[in-house]
Amino acid sequence: AQADAFCSICQKVFFPLDAVSPSAVDCSPNVLCDGPCMRAFHTACLGLEALPGEEEPWWCAQCAEGGLHACHLCAKPLEGTRPLLRAGAWRPSPAAGAPILCGEKGCGRFYCRPCLATQRRAQWRSPRNAKCPAHLCAACGLGPPDTQCLRCPAAFCYACCPEGALHVRGDLMVCPGHPEP
């Protein structure tokens, strides 16, 4: 999954299988959030001196404290992303302005409804549940895609990947026009 491939704070890639840019790679210890966001973090970026124990689930501050997650497109903090802890699962809010957590298993991306509504590849399953555009090729519409952008939900088949994209590793790239990771 894209979320477990790079640190959500410094944006550096964990596993440099075929990294083009050495400045985009940091293989120091990392931890995955067991909360609904499923993001990954370097322990140093979190200020942790050691990895959390594997016996207990570890949740990032946003998931554990009901903090604000940001929209994956506009990066604005989203009100109401506090997960309802029923068996540790996120339950979408019925409120019209409630944030949307992608319904694709293992995704973990949050969106504000207006941003997700602008994405032609988003697949709405119900008014409260959608599959985000990161799961289909932005060019041809087929899926699952081969590579995903670190900065936006754009994803592509290798044959459709835009010219000028920075390939960080096989399954991760940065679209042309975004800053280098």
Side-chain angles (χ1 to χ4, degrees):
Q2 177 191 12
D4 63 3
F6 67 96
C7 176
S8 292
I9 296 173
C10 73
Q11 303 281 305
K12 292 199 176 198
V13 176
F14 295 132
F15 311 107
L17 300 179
D18 56 352
V20 173
S21 174
S23 66
V25 177
D26 182 344
C27 296
S28 58
N30 60 79
V31 61
L32 297 174
C33 177
D34 292 316
C37 77
M38 297 177 279
R39 294 178 300 160
F41 303 87
H42 285 117
T43 54
C45 290
L46 292 169
L48 299 175
E49 295 190 16
L51 289 170
E54 291 186 28
E55 315 80 45
E56 295 289 323
W58 180 84
W59 287 35
C60 70
Q62 286 82 12
C63 290
E65 299 168 13
L68 299 177
H69 287 285
C71 173
H72 192 70
L73 288 169
C74 69
K76 291 181 182 170
L78 298 169
E79 295 289 338
T81 56
R82 183 180 178 99
L84 300 175
L85 304 179
R86 210 172 264 178
W90 163 268
R91 285 193 17 220
S93 168
I100 303 292
L101 173 64
C102 177
E104 185 73 6
K105 184 177 180 176
C107 180
R109 291 177 184 91
F110 283 92
Y111 294 90
C112 59
R113 194 171 301 270
C115 281
L116 195 56
T118 67
Q119 301 297 302
R120 65 184 177 97
R121 298 262 187 247
Q123 297 176 337
W124 290 88
R125 296 174 175 166
S126 76
R128 298 179 349 188
N129 187 339
K131 180 177 177 179
C132 78
H135 306 290
L136 296 171
C137 176
C140 71
L142 300 176
D146 298 312
T147 186
Q148 294 182 350
C149 181
L150 287 169
R151 299 279 185 254
C152 70
F156 299 92
C157 304
Y158 287 131
C160 298
C161 197
E163 190 174 320
L166 171 67
H167 293 275
V168 179
R169 68 174 217 197
D171 60 339
L172 295 172
M173 58 89 172
V174 178
C175 292
H178 289 308
E180 186 176 321

